[in-house]
Amino acid sequence: MGRIKEIRRRRTFAIISHPDAGKTTLTEKLLLFGGAIRVAGAVKSNKIRNAATSDFMEIERQRGISVATSVMGFEYKDHKINILDTPGHKDFAEDTFRTLTAADSVIVVIDVAKGVEQQTEKLVEVCKMRKIPIMFFINKLDRPGKDAFELLDEIEFKLHCKVTPLSWPIGMGIDFKGVYNKYDKKLDIFDRSSLVVNDEGASILLDSIDDPVLDDKLGESAHKFREEFKLVSGVFKEFSKKEYLHGDLSPVFFGSALNNFGVRDLLDCFTDIAPHPQPVATDTRDINPEYEKFTGFVFKIHANIDPNHRSRIAFVKVVSGMFERNKYYYHTKLKRTFKFSSPTSFMASKKEIIEDAYPGDIVGIPDTGNFRIGDTLTEGEELNFIGIPNFAPELFQYLENADPLKTKQLNKGILQLMDEGVAQLFTRTADGKKIIGTVGNLQFEVIKFRLEHEYSALCRFEPVDLHRACWIGCEDKNKLKDFKDKNSYFIAVDNKGKDVFLAETAWSLQRAQEKFPDIKFYFKSEI
Ligand code: G4P
């Protein structure tokens, strides 16, 4: 198959949701359709955990939340699908934001009973900022929940997404009869007693919703459904692929991931309409996936993926050209070439060494410490992919070494965890004190736990009075020096050596901004 064909058949996307809405269950059912796994429950079992899912870390097993982000690829009806798994927990939002830079579209899972939840709002905001096409899956229809119209209103109102339902539920909870798939004009009947529901053959094709088959299958519910459906057609915009691809209109599907109901409808429509790999911005130009030279960027680093081997993997999204094993590629920040002899792909059932990869694919590169999030690889061109955000942290603690005999291990561990983007390290210039900044409290526990279990180092966190840490810059080097001299106790460097201002209070930050109008304060740093 030619390169262009390979690009067009790829769908690289992320599933996002508030925790517990059903993201893991939906992922698993999608993998079942792709033949990537054979039994339900495998995503949470060791089988896949050993390969590429995010459930392998012990801390995560203890807490039942997805800490890491990983990739699962599978083939479905001539399409190569790459799912980017994202942690739902709010303390790991930064990881999710970075993963979204590698996604060409997203599916948002919403719990029918809970509706739009807080974490969904934040994540969708980022997708909208980046104009990523969004599809919604309203899950758990086998349980009682909110009225479908009310849910769609909520999505439009809280998430500012224009929606158009491409399927419509018939009943809900114990009265759940099935869904009408508007996209493919067919009826799927929900059968609680069967586990092989929503098989392709089980759908009933309908000419129109006036078809008497509806009355046979749905009995009295048919009338209510027809009334609702007419209303739906009047109230919501007709689906337009163009508007969806621009991020202006979001299709909505209803179903029950646990019962594998409505999932095939979602997947079939998704493969049909979702975008293939899209152009990505660099500091010099946008790179089109069809450009023949290889380019790619690192959006995630994961250390110690296998606790038995000290390994570190950089996740590279191929943006253009073709990635080939054992070929030399140029690392634009280090200005050095590297050859990769054992790049891996992440097919859900196993992690395997690959010979080549196409735009949209994620390649895992074993790394000995050369890569950082945001790094660019090319065939020699000087360019850097942009838009991978590093947010100014809001929670801070001093990092203290609790076992001086393990100082080396602590320093190594902390630097590796920072490269992974778990948190940010600021070293205060005045006294060399190390401050860890995070977006959530859980990260402190993750750092402590991982330092101990992966690096045999012990640390202690102590409170520090800090309001914000923001990156600073000024075109006039003398003015920047003057600012740093006058605020010397509040100046630090991040682990890439960038200047940072540590503001003790909101007031001190405001005062610094007013007193030094030429200094720029950044609350987001691009990696
Ligand atoms: P998450 O990744 O978004 O956090 O959610 P996850 O898939 O883990 O699902 C959260 C809970 O919701 C799980 O139950 C799961 O079985 C249930 N669930 C998912 N989809 C459906 C559905 O369509 N209908 C119903 N009724 N439940 C659904 P749990 O008891 O927390 O976990 P488990 O013991 O089943 O693994």
Side-chain angles (χ1 to χ4, degrees):
M1 199 182 298
R3 194 168 50 86
I4 305 297
K5 259 198 168 155
E6 286 288 359
I7 297 170
R8 303 241 165 117
R9 75 184 195 98
R10 272 161 171 75
R11 303 282 182 271
T12 302
F13 74 107
I15 304 184
I16 55 178
S17 76
H18 193 89
D20 266 357
K23 185 172 62 67
T24 312
T25 314
L26 179 65
T27 305
E28 178 182 281
K29 301 301 161 173
L30 293 173
L31 295 177
L32 275 172
F33 279 122
I37 55 170
R38 286 182 199 288
V39 284
V43 169
K44 281 183 182 161
S45 83
N46 281 330
K47 253 174 36 193
I48 292 195
R49 193 181 293 150
N50 287 342
T53 63
S54 58
D55 279 355
F56 55 83
M57 274 170 58
E58 194 155 354
I59 190 155
E60 180 186 26
R61 282 204 287 278
Q62 288 179 348
R63 294 178 176 283
I65 43 169
S66 299
V67 174
T69 306
S70 56
V71 185
M72 283 158 278
F74 64 93
E75 295 274 341
Y76 179 74
K77 291 188 178 171
D78 285 342
H79 286 95
K80 166 81 190 294
I81 317 267
N82 294 311
I83 306 181
L84 306 174
D85 188 19
T86 57
H89 194 284
K90 69 171 175 33
D91 286 4
F92 296 94
E94 231 188 313
D95 202 2
T96 301
F97 293 147
R98 283 192 293 257
T99 297
L100 287 176
T101 61
D104 295 304
S105 68
V106 299
I107 292 181
V108 180
V109 184
I110 288 179
D111 182 324
V112 70
K114 298 196 178 135
V116 173
E117 295 172 88
Q118 200 192 14
Q119 196 52 22
T120 321
E121 285 186 52
K122 283 201 185 151
L123 294 172
V124 169
E125 204 182 302
V126 177
C127 296
K128 289 196 67 77
M129 253 159 49
R130 299 196 45 237
K131 291 231 151 231
I132 305 178
I134 303 172
M135 267 170 108
F136 287 94
F137 183 71
I138 298 187
N139 190 27
K140 308 194 188 180
L141 265 286
D142 58 316
R143 282 194 187 162
K146 296 186 182 184
D147 171 73
F149 285 105
E150 189 188 330
L151 278 167
L152 298 183
D153 268 0
E154 213 176 292
I155 294 176
E156 295 213 329
F157 182 71
K158 286 194 179 166
L159 302 177
H160 312 286
C161 289
K162 267 236 142 322
V163 291
T164 184
L166 287 186
S167 83
W168 194 255
I170 302 153
M172 182 186 295
I174 46 166
D175 294 324
F176 184 45
K177 299 272 188 312
V179 290
Y180 174 68
N181 179 340
K182 192 178 169 205
Y183 188 70
D184 286 326
K185 294 201 173 49
K186 60 183 195 186
L187 177 70
D188 291 320
I189 299 288
F190 182 61
D191 177 1
R192 237 168 248 280
S193 61
S194 165
L195 280 176
V196 214
V197 279
N198 208 11
D199 221 333
E200 234 169 348
S203 304
I204 303 160
L205 288 174
L206 299 176
D207 289 336
S208 79
I209 57 155
D210 295 323
D211 198 319
V213 172
L214 266 179
D215 302 276
D216 287 352
K217 295 286 175 194
L218 301 176
E220 284 177 9
S221 306
H223 176 68
K224 184 166 180 258
F225 162 69
R226 286 194 181 103
E227 295 224 309
E228 279 187 6
F229 192 75
K230 278 180 192 143
L231 201 58
V232 168
S233 308
V235 171
F236 296 100
K237 262 184 117 157
E238 267 306 299
F239 172 67
S240 142
K241 186 168 165 180
K242 196 168 153 206
E243 284 179 56
Y244 158 69
L245 291 176
H246 277 128
D248 294 330
L249 186 66
S250 294
V252 182
F253 280 84
F254 292 82
S256 165
L258 188 64
N259 293 287
N260 202 356
F261 192 81
V263 178
R264 188 187 282 278
D265 288 352
L266 174 80
L267 182 59
D268 281 341
C269 177
F270 173 81
T271 45
D272 205 17
I273 66 171
H276 52 68
Q278 295 297 295
V280 184
T282 72
D283 51 2
T284 56
R285 64 195 160 98
D286 285 2
I287 302 289
N288 195 304
E290 295 182 9
Y291 175 53
E292 74 261 12
K293 296 244 166 79
F294 164 76
T295 63
F297 65 89
V298 178
F299 67 95
K300 179 180 175 59
I301 290 190
H302 202 113
N304 308 330
I305 250 176
D306 177 353
N308 300 320
H309 303 96
R310 286 248 163 263
S311 54
R312 185 168 133 138
I313 288 194
F315 291 70
V316 175
K317 160 118 189 231
V318 180
V319 175
S320 68
M322 201 167 120
F323 175 90
E324 288 173 78
R325 185 162 93 97
N326 280 332
K327 197 169 160 178
Y328 278 97
Y329 291 118
Y330 181 61
H331 187 303
T332 62
K333 286 225 177 81
L334 297 180
K335 305 208 176 299
R336 269 176 63 190
T337 54
F338 290 91
K339 188 171 79 165
F340 308 108
S341 58
S342 40
T344 49
S345 74
F346 299 91
M347 297 304 278
S349 50
K350 53 187 183 301
K351 203 175 80 192
E352 55 187 24
I353 292 190
I354 46 149
E355 292 301 322
D356 47 44
Y358 292 92
D361 286 341
I362 311 297
V363 179
I365 292 181
D367 171 40
T368 49
N370 293 312
F371 285 98
R372 285 181 174 175
I373 292 166
D375 285 353
T376 299
L377 287 175
T378 70
E379 288 191 25
E381 274 173 280
E382 295 288 353
L383 52 85
N384 294 290
F385 286 99
I386 54 174
I388 304 181
N390 211 348
F391 293 92
E394 288 168 26
L395 301 171
F396 303 91
Q397 304 223 39
Y398 282 126
L399 173 77
E400 302 287 352
N401 186 355
D403 181 356
L405 292 176
K406 297 281 169 62
T407 305
K408 239 169 93 181
Q409 286 88 332
L410 181 88
N411 289 343
K412 181 177 171 203
I414 214 72
L415 284 180
Q416 290 204 346
L417 293 181
M418 297 308 117
D419 282 352
E420 272 187 55
V422 175
Q424 291 174 53
L425 170 71
F426 304 110
T427 308
R428 197 160 56 197
T429 321
D431 55 10
K433 278 271 225 186
K434 289 186 165 57
I435 297 168
I436 298 288
T438 68
V439 288
N441 258 318
L442 214 54
Q443 264 93 343
F444 292 112
E445 290 178 50
V446 170
I447 292 169
K448 204 167 172 189
F449 184 95
R450 289 189 58 185
L451 280 175
E452 193 178 332
H453 289 82
E454 294 169 24
Y455 300 91
S456 308
L458 292 178
C459 79
R460 216 174 40 239
F461 286 109
E462 305 214 329
V464 49
D465 253 346
L466 260 189
H467 165 66
R468 275 320 266 279
C470 45
W471 289 271
I472 46 171
C474 182
E475 277 171 17
D476 185 335
K477 294 267 171 300
N478 292 330
K479 282 187 177 157
L480 184 64
K481 184 173 180 309
D482 178 52
F483 176 79
K484 283 162 66 175
D485 288 347
K486 291 195 169 121
N487 294 280
S488 60
Y489 191 69
F490 304 103
I491 300 297
V493 284
D494 71 7
N495 57 322
K496 291 174 204 84
K498 288 189 192 170
D499 290 324
V500 171
F501 175 60
L502 305 170
E504 277 187 316
T505 60
W507 180 79
S508 64
L509 176 59
Q510 193 189 340
R511 204 164 144 260
Q513 285 171 313
E514 282 165 7
K515 248 179 110 180
F516 298 90
D518 295 320
I519 304 292
K520 290 205 168 69
F521 297 79
Y522 302 97
F523 296 95
K524 202 176 84 182
S525 144
E526 267 186 13
I527 297 174

